[in-house]
Amino acid sequence: MIKILHASPNTTPSQVRLAVAAFFFVSGFGFASWASRIPTLQQKLHLNEAELGSTLFAMPLGLMLTLPLTSYLLNKYSSRYVMLMGSVFYNILLCILGFVTNTFQFVTVLFLFGCSRNLMNIPVNAQSVGVQTLYPKSILSTFHGIWSVSGFAAAALGAWMISSDITPSIHFIIIGAICLTTMAIFFKNTFPNDVKKTNAVGKKKLFNFPDKPLVKLGLIAFSCMACEGIMYDWSGIYFQKVVHPPKALFAIGYVAFMSAASTGRFVGDWFINKLGVKKVLQICSSLIAVGLLLSVLLPYLFTATAGFVLTGLGISCIMPMLMGLAGKLSDKAPGVAIASVSTVSYFGFLLGPPIIGYVAEAANLRWSFSIGIVMACVMFGLVSKMKLVK
């Protein structure tokens, strides 16, 4: 049986919730800070689109290869300690990224950055599941909303750093100091006990691939994460090289995307309760397709920004909904089912950004974003064929 132990009697549920929310903030704040400076680092290292695509491959590769280690650690130790370890390494590596001077250093640090990100994010989500047991109503989507809001704040700060000609090294040290201080303040109130794992997670398997009921969910997750990875890694460069706004507005597309994703995650539950999961998944897929199409056909400041807003709204709720469905549609234990879908989705996150780089180099960056439109159409088609109970 899976048993969840409660937090210390000295800590109230609201304190535990706030503490775990702080780590979601750290995760989103650090990641968006890195993403906002990708164009700067590309210029610094003199990388073309294909070379940048290849180097960006290192981060999701590190994330993927660390999945077995993360599972092992979470089976053996409390998620709060794994989360703390991963978060500390994550922020240290973020600071180091600002000092890279050649492609080899960049790829190496990015790979380790991806490893540390996985060691932070999966335990953070395990913590949120623990907090959920302290509340009668669903609160999980709020955590994802906080992740997005922190990303929005970091992107806005990144835009100011760029316009002020502040180097990535100084920028990342400031971000690292903020995140490490936040962690030091809130760690003591994080959820102290973990879900007790059973033998449902096969020790012989390094990766949990989906069984038949989860195949469609996995493909939808793959497409969604491919689009999400493209937006995180290439939105700033798209605005800089295709939209050509003033320098101070290079990060406006990323800010628009993240703010829309934040809004979608905070209001998503209301729409799901009103319209049902299938309808909302169809709407989200359509928004991604329309948003990217608008940005590609009309690559001007207003229209491209509006397109990125629609894309952010579309991406916002897809993965939380898929994670919720995974536990219901499979005979596997919920945790194993979610891990299965997550494994496939990581491949989308792994492949999407590099493919954009290769297509951009072969054709051009503007039309390479059409790959996201195709992915969104695939999602819509797969969702439309699904039979879901309300």
Side-chain angles (χ1 to χ4, degrees), residues 141-142 144-153 255-268 312-313 316-317:
S141 63
T142 308
H144 294 276
I146 289 167
W147 189 94
S148 296
V149 167
S150 67
F152 167 72
V255 171
F257 167 73
M258 288 300 297
S259 59
S262 303
T263 304
R265 282 166 184 156
F266 280 114
V267 303
L313 289 172
S316 63
C317 294

Side-chain angles (χ1 to χ4, degrees), residues 211-214 217 324-332 386-389:
D211 53 17
K212 276 191 176 181
L214 298 179
L217 291 185
L325 288 172
K328 298 175 184 176
L329 299 182
S330 174
D331 294 332
K332 293 182 178 182
M386 292 176 70
K387 294 179 181 178
L388 298 176
V389 246

